[in-house]
Amino acid sequence: MRVLVLSDIHANLDALEAVLADGGLYEAVWCLGDLVGYGPDPNGCADRMRELPDLVCLAGNHDKAALGQIDLEAFNPEARHALEWTRDSLSEENAAWLRSLPERLVEGDFTLVHGSPRRPLWEYLLDSERARNAFAFYETPFCLVGHSHVALAFRLDGRSGRCSLHLPPQSPLIQLGPERIILNPGSAGQPRDQDPRASYALLDTDRLTWEWRRVSYDVRAVQIRMREQGMPARLILRLAEGW
Ligand code: ZN
């Protein structure tokens, strides 16, 4: 099965549309959470995702916060501002749908979480040491995470117990197995790896291949809508620079 894997859309409809179009033919879409927060299109993104035929979607920390299930004090002032606006903007139908999303799922050989298998909503996996500890908290060969907005992978060497970091520029296509691997598709709607293009991945669950992809979209159009909604300047600026 060919699966389009994406995460951290953050209410950026132009980025979401670009990813869905760029992915070509795929049989399923797996979304690792943070559909809303930061961006100007929470309902547009939720509507678009809900109409996908074979969607698996997790809740992230921003989704939970927009629903009032996490205290907004846990976020910085700019994120909080965007979350308050999101909370007031979400339709009842979309809020109910977001509320129904799980924090953790297993799909065949893949465990799906937003942050990490140890702390699904909050932990950032950005370094090998932290990632090495995370392998003990899930059972399947592979784990898919988002949350950090950085496309990367961690491989665990079963014999030495060593964990190594793999970044897409080394090779955007990797063969999965036999080692256990934690994979992050990067962020569709707010990348933080100095590349403003939307980030996602294509997973082939039969051939066990994972390919990171980037696609350009109209960042300025999104920035204009953010400005119209009175979003903080820093959130608007960072979209164009990828941080
Ligand atoms: Zn996020």
Side-chain angles (χ1 to χ4, degrees):
M1 180 168 67
R2 218 169 117 91
V3 184
L4 189 153
V5 183
L6 78 172
S7 190
D8 299 278
I9 298 162
H10 284 296
N12 184 334
L13 186 58
D14 292 69
L16 173 60
E17 293 290 8
V19 165
L20 293 176
D22 189 67
L25 293 176
Y26 43 88
E27 283 117 35
V29 175
W30 293 355
C31 173
L32 307 176
D34 277 6
L35 195 71
V36 302
Y38 294 131
D41 316 303
N43 287 306
C45 288
D47 290 342
R48 184 71 176 93
M49 293 298 277
R50 288 171 58 202
E51 72 190 23
L52 293 172
D54 205 346
L55 173 72
V56 164
C57 192
L58 297 177
N61 54 323
H62 282 253
D63 305 318
K64 295 268 187 189
L67 298 168
Q69 295 174 333
I70 288 179
D71 192 343
L72 293 182
E73 293 301 314
F75 294 82
N76 68 50
E78 286 147 351
R80 203 183 311 149
H81 178 104
L83 283 167
E84 282 166 357
W85 177 84
T86 304
R87 184 190 57 201
D88 296 341
S89 306
L90 270 176
S91 70
E92 260 177 54
E93 215 179 317
N94 284 329
W97 177 68
L98 286 173
R99 211 169 281 123
S100 74
L101 301 178
E103 289 177 23
R104 183 187 185 106
L105 277 172
V106 173
E107 292 285 322
D109 285 341
F110 299 84
T111 297
L112 281 57
V113 287
H114 178 61
S116 83
R118 181 164 56 175
R119 293 182 68 207
L121 287 180
W122 288 110
E123 189 174 38
Y124 290 93
L125 296 182
L126 280 164
D127 62 84
S128 304
E129 189 52 39
R130 199 175 277 261
R132 194 172 63 83
N133 295 324
F135 283 96
F137 292 84
Y138 73 98
E139 308 290 324
T140 56
F142 313 113
C143 181
L144 308 185
V145 303
H147 192 46
S148 69
H149 298 208
V150 177
L152 49 71
F154 295 100
R155 280 180 198 269
L156 184 69
D157 184 319
R159 270 181 297 183
S160 68
R162 282 191 51 180
C163 177
S164 57
L165 168 67
H166 179 104
L167 293 168
Q170 295 168 244
S171 161
L173 179 74
I174 57 176
Q175 184 69 50
L176 306 183
E179 311 104 324
R180 296 181 80 206
I181 307 183
I182 296 173
L183 299 143
N184 189 326
S187 168
Q190 196 204 68
R192 295 180 189 163
D193 50 7
Q194 282 71 53
D195 181 346
R197 293 176 300 164
S199 185
Y200 71 103
L202 288 172
L203 167 68
D204 189 317
T205 59
D206 303 313
R207 295 192 178 124
L208 286 179
T209 56
W210 170 275
E211 182 190 2
W212 284 283
R213 310 261 300 225
R214 300 302 282 240
V215 57
S216 301
Y217 70 94
D218 191 349
V219 173
R220 286 202 53 190
V222 180
Q223 290 178 310
I224 288 168
R225 291 202 298 284
M226 289 175 80
R227 213 166 283 131
E228 284 168 0
Q229 304 299 349
M231 293 290 185
R234 225 174 70 96
L235 294 185
I236 298 171
L237 181 68
R238 69 188 304 178
L239 271 196
E241 299 177 356
W243 50 268

